[in-house]
């Protein structure tokens, strides 16, 4: 039975919002997400928004009705606002495992949320975009012999839209002799070169990756637009559908107008790859 069947609009927080859904637990803590439902004509597809900046993840009341989700909701998408275990307590790799678990959980609960498990997309900004790409490029089918049912479920996503995402952590990692001091404020980057390669989208691209949209900013000193060139080359070699764009005269936060442009293009991307006939 869909959770929507028992939902009365205006009688839940945020009107059509489920706050702090628990998708997992570790070290005595709950891993949570918010779920926002479209009020009219749901299209059966879902967009996961990764809550992450600098590989930190947080809970704030502003996410009760995040404006980043409004465009998706208005077009019939169910939106999952996923938080992960973040720095400095948890590593980037552990955060990635959390968001993989979130995808598995959402897929297991698809009928409850009123979505098609084959039509799940993911988006994020900066570190959230990095994790979104890693989901799209490293999804797996689950482990058939796993003891826990959730670990037998696929964490594949059908499409990715990422804004200013790091795509190669090699020279951002503290272990690099070329690391810039600006990256020292991100404890998640205290990793070896082996770990950096394992966590770099450009290093893990393969033919079965999800179609990926990624936008960068011309004057971004944190994630220079070359990251987009590197990922485009890797996906081109693998034959993966992708699109890259660079905002002119923009920094790491490219501004509201550019963000709105990204959101509109991300919606079009999801409309294309999360259609009812699409496959995971």
């Amino acid at each position: 039975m869909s959770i929507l069947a028992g939902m009365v609009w205006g009688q839940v927080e945020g009107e059509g919002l489920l706050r702090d859904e628990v998708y997992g637990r570790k070290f005595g803590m709950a891993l949570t997400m918010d779920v926002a439902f479209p009020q009219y004509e749901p299209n059966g597809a879902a967009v996961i928004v990764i809550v992450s900046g600098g590989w930190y993840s947080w809970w704030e009341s502003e996410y009760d009705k995040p404006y980043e989700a409004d465009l998706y909701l208005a077009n019939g998408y169910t939106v999952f606002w996923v938080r992960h275990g973040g720095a400095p307590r948890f590593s980037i790799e552990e955060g990635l495992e959390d968001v993989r678990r979130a995808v598995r959980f959402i897929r297991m609960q698809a009928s409850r949320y009123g979505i098609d498990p084959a039509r799940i997309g993911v988006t994020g900004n900066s570190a959230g975009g990095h994790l979104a790409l890693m989901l799209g490029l490293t999804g797996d089918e689950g482990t058939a012999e796993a003891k826990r049912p959730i670990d037998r479920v696929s964490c594949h996503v059908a499409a990715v839209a990422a804004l200013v995402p790091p795509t190669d952590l090699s020279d951002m990692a503290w272990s690099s002799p070329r690391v810039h001091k600006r990256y020292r404020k991100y404890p998640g980057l205290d990793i070896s070169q082996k770990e950096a390669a394992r966590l770099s989208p450009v290093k893990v691209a393969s033919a079965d990756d999800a179609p990926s949209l990624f936008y960068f900013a011309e004057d971004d000193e944190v994630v220079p637009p070359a990251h987009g060139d590197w990922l485009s080359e890797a996906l081109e070699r693998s034959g993966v559908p992708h699109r890259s764009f660079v905002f002119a005269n923009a920094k790491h936060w490219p501004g509201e107008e550019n963000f709105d442009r990204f959101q509109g293009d991300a919606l079009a991307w999801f409309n294309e790859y999360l259609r009812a006939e699409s496959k995971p």
Side-chain angles (χ1 to χ4, degrees), residues 23-24 31 97-105 148 150-151:
Y23 69 85
L31 296 167
E97 283 304 313
D98 291 343
V99 296
R100 284 174 177 151
R101 181 184 178 87
V103 176
R104 300 186 207 278
F105 181 88
R148 296 181 299 182
I150 192 170
D151 294 327

Side-chain angles (χ1 to χ4, degrees), residues 91-130:
S91 69
I92 297 174
E93 199 148 19
E94 288 170 316
L96 176 58
E97 283 304 313
D98 291 343
V99 296
R100 284 174 177 151
R101 181 184 178 87
V103 176
R104 300 186 207 278
F105 181 88
I106 291 166
R107 182 164 277 119
M108 283 185 72
Q109 300 287 326
S111 61
R112 176 172 173 257
Y113 293 124
I115 64 167
D116 182 344
R119 298 165 60 206
I120 299 173
V122 62
T123 187
N125 306 336
S126 193
H130 165 262

